[in-house]
Amino acid sequence: MPEPVSNKERQYAIRSRRPSVLLIYTGGTIGMVRNEETGALESFNFDRLLEQVPELRRFDYRISTYTFTPPIDSSDMSLDHWEKLVRIIDFNYNYFDGFVILHGTDTMSYTASALSFMLENLGKPVILTGSQLPIGMLRTDGKENLITAIEIAAARRDDGSPMVPEVCIYFKDKLLRGNRTTKIYADRFNAFRSFNFPPLATVGINIEYHEDLIRRPDPGKPFKAHTLVDPNVVVLTLFPGIQQSLVHSVLHIPGLRAVVLRTFGAGNAPRLSWFADELREAAERGILFVNITQCQAGSVQMGLYETSLPLIQAGVVSGYDCTPECAITKLMFLIGHKLPIEELRLRMNSNLRGEITR
Ligand code: ASP
């Protein structure tokens, strides 16, 4: 009979085990080095990661790598790639303490949002990072981003559990909840911002985790990887002077299931009778509308102004303070599950992964 193991002993055993991290390279600027002969930027061979970033040897971690072949610019990221990432994480879930995904910055917020929904009851860190300058360049931001992302993915609490079991973006000294992020700069090192939710950690001399903000999995439920997503979503941005013909054609796209309506201010739209009619008619055909604001920060508050009443009457659902990236991917995830419209509305209104403030 094996000796019974106390909780303390188990925690000690976990803490003293060498942390393991799976590093998944999808592509993007971070994985580029300058070819000394041609001067051009090329993707580097990730199997030789330690040669490019010898600093990683100083971690006492087991780091394994997986590379997309060929690596992709993140503008080419697709739903199939998200599915592939989910499968890689699911397949390796029990073998690693955490996952770091190297990704181009352009669509990183979309991938982080999508993964946050597709990885249900996540109990391990999934940290996305990248860089504005290739890792092979002298002034690169890639090394710091990569090294800190790995450290965060391997970090544990005193009881041995992962410090940040969430899908996050780490970039330039901030760890942000992935589904709260937006890329705000094309050319600065602090490329990402989370306007409506504070960072989960701030990085200076020390990594300061804001543990009260970090979500934890429900211990009574298993981790579940989802691969169903449906792309039949459109974003309709309102502007003064918008024409009925435009709205009509958008709402009659074949196969359309849901519309992210980017409204003014706290969720307002023009009080034009044709606009309300178009929305109502589309809603009757089973199309779901979600109202998010064009403002970068703050929340939709439907009913605050008269100008949002026609939206309420047409059955438009509030997206509260979620980002466009999050509204789009949450809808793709939910409609991918072929839920009845009432269930869809209910889930859009619920805070599933910390993506809205409710
Ligand atoms: N175009 C690149 C990409 O998103 C930019 C980057 O990596 O930052 O893949």
Side-chain angles (χ1 to χ4, degrees):
M1 270 274 278
E3 289 281 304
V5 181
S6 74
N7 251 353
K8 263 205 161 138
E9 282 169 325
R10 191 173 296 121
Q11 286 169 11
Y12 176 77
I14 296 173
R15 278 205 313 273
S16 53
R17 199 169 37 77
R18 223 171 133 220
S20 56
V21 173
L22 178 62
L23 186 59
I24 304 165
Y25 174 55
T26 66
T29 300
I30 190 166
M32 307 244 159
V33 281
R34 191 173 296 283
N35 181 315
E36 293 303 329
E37 279 162 33
T38 63
L41 288 174
E42 297 174 348
S43 288
F44 78 82
N45 179 351
F46 240 75
D47 299 334
R48 289 165 53 204
L49 176 71
L50 286 179
E51 281 171 27
Q52 291 299 329
V53 196
E55 294 88 340
L56 291 180
R57 282 208 190 91
R58 294 169 63 184
F59 280 135
D60 185 26
Y61 300 164
R62 178 169 64 85
I63 301 174
S64 304
T65 57
Y66 181 99
T67 311
F68 274 30
T69 34
I72 57 163
D73 186 287
S74 77
S75 300
D76 289 326
M77 197 45 76
S78 67
L79 275 62
D80 287 344
H81 293 118
W82 292 345
E83 188 186 319
K84 178 172 171 167
L85 284 169
V86 166
R87 289 192 195 282
I88 295 169
I89 292 170
D90 189 29
F91 187 76
N92 290 286
Y93 194 74
N94 293 325
Y95 305 115
F96 291 91
D97 294 310
F99 300 84
V100 171
I101 301 176
L102 298 180
H103 194 291
T105 55
D106 291 348
T107 63
M108 196 188 290
S109 292
Y110 289 90
T111 299
S113 293
L115 293 184
S116 76
F117 297 111
M118 294 167 84
L119 303 172
E120 184 180 344
N121 208 37
L122 182 65
K124 303 204 171 178
V126 174
I127 314 295
L128 285 93
T129 194
S131 69
Q132 296 283 58
L133 277 179
I135 211 155
M137 283 179 86
L138 207 52
R139 287 179 51 249
T140 185
D141 52 331
K143 280 196 183 179
E144 197 282 319
N145 285 348
L146 171 62
I147 290 166
T148 308
I150 291 176
E151 187 164 343
I152 291 170
R156 298 172 187 150
R157 299 198 298 173
D158 288 344
D159 65 0
S161 65
M163 183 59 89
V164 196
E166 287 208 42
V167 179
C168 301
I169 288 184
Y170 175 72
F171 220 87
K172 176 75 187 162
D173 72 24
K174 283 190 185 57
L175 182 71
L176 306 172
R177 176 169 297 150
N179 57 30
R180 292 287 194 156
T181 61
T182 299
K183 183 175 178 183
I184 55 154
Y185 281 120
D187 54 3
R188 293 205 188 166
F189 285 153
N190 59 345
F192 291 90
R193 187 74 66 81
S194 161
F195 286 100
N196 289 327
F197 199 77
L200 301 182
T202 25
V203 177
I205 293 175
N206 299 309
I207 302 180
E208 195 186 327
Y209 292 99
H210 308 300
E211 288 196 52
D212 51 320
L213 301 176
I214 297 173
R215 286 170 69 88
R216 312 236 150 244
D218 179 341
K221 290 191 184 152
F223 161 67
K224 197 162 175 213
H226 296 271
T227 50
L228 294 176
V229 267
D230 183 331
N232 287 298
V233 174
V234 78
V235 181
L236 179 59
T237 302
L238 302 184
F239 53 89
I242 192 166
Q243 295 293 295
Q244 181 170 8
S245 53
L246 184 150
V247 173
H248 185 85
S249 351
V250 170
L251 300 186
H252 284 83
I253 295 171
L256 184 67
R257 300 284 319 279
V259 180
V260 176
L261 212 52
R262 296 190 69 216
T263 58
F264 308 124
N268 306 309
R271 274 178 301 169
L272 300 163
S273 61
W274 64 257
F275 183 72
D277 292 345
E278 289 286 352
L279 259 54
R280 205 173 316 108
E281 188 272 330
E284 279 163 15
R285 286 186 282 119
I287 293 177
L288 179 69
F289 289 89
V290 178
N291 184 359
I292 63 166
T293 174
Q294 291 177 28
C295 301
Q296 284 192 300
S299 182
V300 157
Q301 292 181 60
M302 287 185 23
L304 186 65
Y305 292 94
E306 248 185 324
T307 40
S308 64
L309 295 181
L311 300 180
I312 298 177
Q313 281 152 13
V316 174
V317 173
S318 175
Y320 302 94
D321 58 348
C322 83
T323 62
E325 293 89 336
C326 175
I328 294 164
T329 53
K330 185 173 178 181
L331 279 170
M332 286 177 166
F333 170 72
L334 292 177
I335 63 176
H337 285 76
K338 311 245 177 303
L339 302 170
I341 188 91
E342 273 321 307
E343 186 65 28
L344 267 180
R345 298 167 64 84
L346 195 77
R347 300 226 191 159
M348 269 322 282
N349 261 313
S350 319
N351 180 11
L352 301 181
R353 310 280 194 266
E355 74 281 7
I356 52 176
T357 311
R358 286 221 66 191

